[in-house]
Amino acid sequence: MATSAFHFPAFHAFPPSYTRQPVRATREKQVSLWCDLMLAFCKHRGDFWVDMAEITQSELFVNAAINRRMKGEDVVFLFDELVNRGDAQWDVQGAGKTRCLVFWRSPAEWGDLVYTYIDRTGQNNSVMTLYELRCSDMTKGEPFHNLDLDLMLLALQSLELANKAAIFEGAKSDQLGVKFL
Amino acid sequence: MGSCLGREETKPAGAGTKAATEKDVKSTAAAPASSVNAAASAARVEKAPPPVRPKVTVTPKDQAVLDVKNGRDQLEQYRKRTDVAIAQQDQVARQLVKEGKLERAKLALEMKQLLQTKVNRADKQLRNVEKLLAEIESTALSKEIIEGMEQGNLVLKELAKDLTVERVDRLLEETEEQAQLQREIGDRLAANPLSSAEEENLERELDQLMALNAPVPAVANPSTSAVKNASNPTGEKNVSSSMSHPPIDGSAKTKAPKVAASPVPA
């Protein structure tokens, strides 16, 4: 797996990193280091949705070499911090904090990538289905190819806020489409 | 954030430090949140002015196109998953042949064939849908272009309404008249303001001056220098008086060339 090629920073092999630090300044630093690492790790794996149970058991939070692991509740705490930073979003449909959508690229950045593609390929003013944008052969090779549906929607919503796109339903189907300016 | 604090309580910690950590967490949790919000709202305030661009409008035509495209997507998805099923049946058939279960292998191949015909049909449908979409797009484009041209034609008509041939003729006539006038004025200005008598006088004076200057190349001859010196003052006097007494000037003129000319042959 490509995952094994991920290079962990030094603090990952530092035992105190796995316990919540009592001193506030130290803890803030600790949390910030972990949040950055979580983003880098998810980006490396290409993960959009992170399952708490899975990630807690992953090599991100388990360091067998120093016999340390992050407790499940601390993992959720860290993801809460990531959400507070604006770099992630809890699954609103799921019950509780079991899944988290991680923004190693912000929705606005994803939106920009999509819009650049639209501009470059002269598809302004044309209607596209979300499937077409995400999964068709046309967008193969684009960074947003196979982008998670929820993340794509957030990205398009950011474009909508900037009046660069409109998301709408078909006359007969409830499948969403998008029209770019 | 509330639940986050709740978890904090479950964390094993000394009773004395617990309250302190809780307080800390509250402030640390609140601080990033508020700063993020502040940053976000600041960004929104900064970004607010530029989007003056019009909202993207969705027409019924767009919705119809979306419906067709959704149909196409479904066909494409169907084709993808049937392709997978075909490959699976193929794999199964191969495996069964290996195991010697020929009857079941035959069934698997039959299934594969059935799926293949369905995929082919889906492919055809897909092509038809694509054709329809291309047709819609090009027709919509033609319509837009024609509407644009109509608008352009209206503007052209509006512009040309006042542009009559008579108006142009009149304009050209007036311009010609103006040009004629200008030419006359120019001619007048360029015309010689002196009368013919005055002209004659000027000519005479000019000749005189030329005559006085003529001996200059002959200065090298020493015998003539005295004559020249003697004639010079009279010449000068003549020139200065020429303005007031043209007749005297005339006599001087006839005399002077002779005086000047004589040294040259000598």
Side-chain angles (χ1 to χ4, degrees):
Chain A
M1 275 298 279
T3 320
S4 56
F6 186 75
H7 180 72
F8 283 103
F11 84 89
H12 191 258
F14 185 51
S17 299
Y18 294 81
T19 13
R20 221 184 292 193
Q21 293 303 304
V23 180
R24 184 176 152 185
T26 320
R27 188 173 56 245
E28 272 172 11
K29 176 76 180 154
Q30 180 193 21
V31 165
S32 136
L33 279 171
W34 273 109
C35 283
D36 290 344
L37 178 61
M38 281 145 64
L39 286 181
F41 186 77
C42 292
K43 182 176 183 179
H44 180 75
R45 292 210 304 190
D47 279 356
F48 302 117
W49 280 105
V50 172
D51 182 74
M52 288 306 118
E54 189 272 329
I55 201 85
T56 307
Q57 299 303 320
S58 74
E59 58 177 335
L60 173 61
F61 290 124
V62 178
N63 193 336
I66 57 166
N67 197 23
R68 284 291 186 283
R69 55 167 53 243
M70 194 71 86
K71 274 183 290 180
E73 62 193 56
D74 287 338
V75 170
V76 174
F77 166 76
L78 284 173
F79 273 96
D80 256 334
E81 284 298 319
L82 207 58
V83 170
N84 284 340
R85 268 173 40 159
D87 289 338
Q89 193 173 296
W90 287 111
D91 185 8
V92 282
Q93 262 127 36
K97 294 170 177 175
T98 53
R99 289 174 81 228
C100 196
L101 184 59
V102 180
F103 304 147
W104 35 269
R105 253 193 205 118
S106 73
E109 281 170 338
W110 284 115
D112 281 347
L113 285 173
V114 171
Y115 197 73
T116 309
Y117 160 79
I118 294 295
D119 256 349
R120 178 158 44 78
T121 52
Q123 296 189 82
N124 312 73
N125 251 322
S126 65
V127 174
M128 289 184 96
T129 62
L130 294 197
Y131 173 82
E132 194 177 6
L133 209 49
R134 289 169 51 240
C135 308
S136 77
D137 292 344
M138 273 167 65
T139 61
K140 216 165 237 172
E142 297 298 330
F144 55 86
H145 189 69
N146 284 334
L147 183 65
D148 176 79
L149 178 61
D150 296 287
L151 197 44
M152 179 60 93
L153 273 171
L154 287 173
L156 294 178
Q157 274 161 11
S158 86
L159 285 180
E160 208 171 25
L161 273 180
N163 278 350
K164 281 179 171 175
I167 305 172
F168 62 102
E169 280 183 5
K172 297 224 166 70
S173 63
D174 52 356
Q175 298 280 347
L176 291 177
V178 59
K179 184 182 178 182
F180 295 95
L181 188 73
Chain B
M1 240 186 301
S3 54
C4 155
L5 287 173
R7 255 191 323 286
E8 177 67 20
E9 278 172 357
T10 65
K11 193 185 176 241
T17 57
K18 192 175 141 190
T21 43
E22 232 183 282
K23 208 174 168 190
D24 276 358
V25 165
K26 198 175 204 170
S27 49
T28 51
S34 61
S35 68
V36 162
N37 284 345
S41 63
R44 227 171 292 136
V45 166
E46 264 170 42
K47 273 178 189 169
V52 194
R53 63 171 87 84
K55 275 212 151 157
V56 184
T57 49
V58 174
T59 61
K61 182 214 112 194
D62 293 333
Q63 284 184 313
V65 169
L66 181 63
D67 282 341
V68 179
K69 281 200 163 185
N70 275 329
R72 183 204 57 189
D73 286 353
Q74 274 166 28
L75 271 173
E76 219 170 84
Q77 281 160 339
Y78 173 77
R79 198 187 54 181
K80 267 187 194 171
R81 67 170 177 265
T82 313
D83 274 343
V84 170
I86 288 170
Q88 258 169 5
Q89 289 299 330
D90 187 73
Q91 206 58 41
V92 166
R94 277 165 203 274
Q95 187 61 36
L96 288 171
V97 167
K98 238 185 236 171
E99 292 166 10
K101 297 169 182 166
L102 296 181
E103 273 306 305
R104 285 185 61 196
K106 213 174 141 189
L107 277 175
L109 286 177
E110 235 178 75
M111 189 64 200
K112 185 187 152 188
Q113 231 165 34
L114 178 76
L115 290 172
Q116 194 63 56
T117 55
K118 287 200 167 178
V119 163
N120 290 345
R121 203 167 52 204
D123 263 339
K124 268 182 207 151
Q125 284 177 336
L126 206 54
R127 229 167 305 143
N128 282 336
V129 174
E130 291 284 7
K131 262 190 222 162
L132 176 64
L133 280 171
E135 208 58 50
I136 290 174
E137 191 174 11
S138 72
T139 309
L141 192 62
S142 303
K143 187 176 169 243
E144 213 163 293
I145 288 171
I146 288 171
E147 278 169 1
M149 284 171 75
E150 273 171 359
Q151 198 59 39
N153 202 25
L154 278 181
V155 172
L156 193 61
K157 266 186 198 160
E158 191 64 33
L159 285 174
K161 207 168 66 182
D162 297 338
L163 276 182
T164 57
V165 176
E166 293 80 47
R167 202 173 143 197
V168 175
D169 279 350
R170 201 168 61 228
L171 181 70
L172 286 176
E173 226 168 80
E174 273 172 22
T175 314
E176 182 51 39
E177 270 170 30
Q178 210 57 42
Q180 185 69 35
L181 189 66
Q182 207 55 47
R183 262 200 302 278
E184 268 173 37
I185 291 172
D187 284 352
R188 292 280 167 82
L189 283 175
N192 205 323
L194 297 177
S195 68
S196 56
E198 283 169 323
E199 182 91 353
E200 259 174 47
N201 280 346
L202 273 180
E203 284 291 324
R204 228 176 291 136
E205 206 179 319
L206 185 67
D207 282 349
Q208 214 170 27
L209 279 176
M210 277 161 63
L212 284 176
N213 280 343
V216 174
V219 164
N221 199 333
S223 63
T224 57
S225 61
V227 180
K228 198 187 156 206
N229 284 345
S231 69
N232 238 352
T234 58
E236 263 172 350
K237 209 185 263 172
N238 278 345
V239 169
S240 61
S241 62
S242 68
M243 299 297 184
S244 46
H245 305 289
I248 297 168
D249 209 18
S251 64
K253 187 197 164 195
T254 48
K255 232 184 275 170
K258 273 178 203 159
V259 176
S262 58
V264 180

